[in-house]
Amino acid sequence: MKVGILGSGDVGRALGKGFVNRQHEVKIASRTPNSDKLKTWVNQVGRHASTGTFADSAAFGDIIVLATNGSAVEAAIDLAKPENFNGKLVIDVTNQLDFSKGPPPGMLYTPTDSLGQRVQRRLPSAKIVKCFNTVPNSQMVDPKFKDVEMMICGNEGWLEAFVPLWARVGMSLNTWDHVFKVVR
């Protein structure tokens, strides 16, 4: 399978490495696709990894991963050309965290809107799944936590409300290596 990843930060690179390790081809997008950081990543990850622009990566992927900063995802979609998403599965890893007033973070949008819903409105012909929002990038591939189900959502958007709580717990514990588990 071909995976296009929009965003070359820690999350995008971690997921990209995980896909390549499972024999998928990955094209990771950045505003600076020829940066030393990404050249190093490609050399470390191997021959199934490449870099490109946002439009290159979106056109390349059978699946597209949105791994940008939450406040930048709509601009990234525009750069990637919305028509490149038509009919594709889009894994939305973005968080709508607002640090503009300092920590702890709030949410970018009101409780009646969400970043996931905004992405779906921008990409009406794509299949959006929100995932990986309440785990650190170190646990997104081959997690050490056992018996923890990954929380995902489709068109409801409720998962995003957990993210500020997850961030506050991380700030209180001074670690980002934690997850939530739902028990009955």
Side-chain angles (χ1 to χ4, degrees):
M1 185 175 358
K2 293 180 178 179
V3 181
I5 299 179
L6 306 187
S8 60
D10 293 339
V11 170
R13 291 191 323 270
L15 288 172
K17 181 179 178 183
F19 281 116
V20 169
N21 286 345
R22 282 150 183 82
Q23 306 306 310
H24 301 292
E25 294 179 58
V26 172
K27 185 175 288 289
I28 198 165
S30 171
R31 288 172 303 218
T32 55
N34 296 316
S35 70
D36 289 341
K37 171 180 82 171
L38 287 179
K39 286 178 185 175
T40 299
W41 180 80
V42 168
N43 288 335
Q44 290 172 344
V45 173
R47 65 181 178 88
H48 291 296
S50 63
T51 64
T53 66
F54 286 90
D56 293 338
S57 294
F60 172 84
D62 301 314
I63 291 176
I64 301 171
V65 177
L66 299 177
T68 66
N69 182 296
S71 62
V73 71
E74 291 175 290
I77 289 170
D78 290 342
L79 289 171
K81 299 187 171 97
E83 61 271 15
N84 284 327
F85 295 81
N86 290 345
K88 295 181 181 180
L89 174 64
V90 177
I91 301 172
D92 180 2
V93 186
T94 62
N95 291 320
Q96 70 157 342
L97 294 176
D98 179 8
F99 285 95
S100 67
K101 296 179 180 114
M107 294 181 73
L108 288 170
Y109 305 107
T110 68
T112 59
D113 199 7
S114 76
L115 193 54
Q117 290 168 319
R118 294 171 75 95
V119 167
Q120 184 70 76
R121 284 193 300 267
R122 214 168 197 81
L123 302 171
S125 297
K127 299 170 186 92
I128 312 296
V129 176
K130 193 71 133 165
C131 191
F132 297 112
N133 298 83
T134 57
V135 297
N137 66 65
S138 63
Q139 300 301 311
M140 291 178 179
V141 179
D142 300 322
K144 71 177 181 183
F145 300 114
K146 302 300 177 206
D147 300 320
V148 176
E149 296 80 23
M150 179 63 66
M151 291 189 225
I152 64 171
C153 74
N155 61 359
E156 300 89 9
W158 62 267
L159 181 61
E160 291 180 346
F162 278 111
V163 177
L165 175 62
W166 183 83
R168 286 175 186 227
V169 169
M171 293 167 76
S172 294
L173 297 175
N174 198 30
T175 180
W176 298 102
D177 204 18
H178 63 285
V179 296
F180 293 136
K181 181 176 180 174
V182 177
V183 294
R184 307 186 213 186

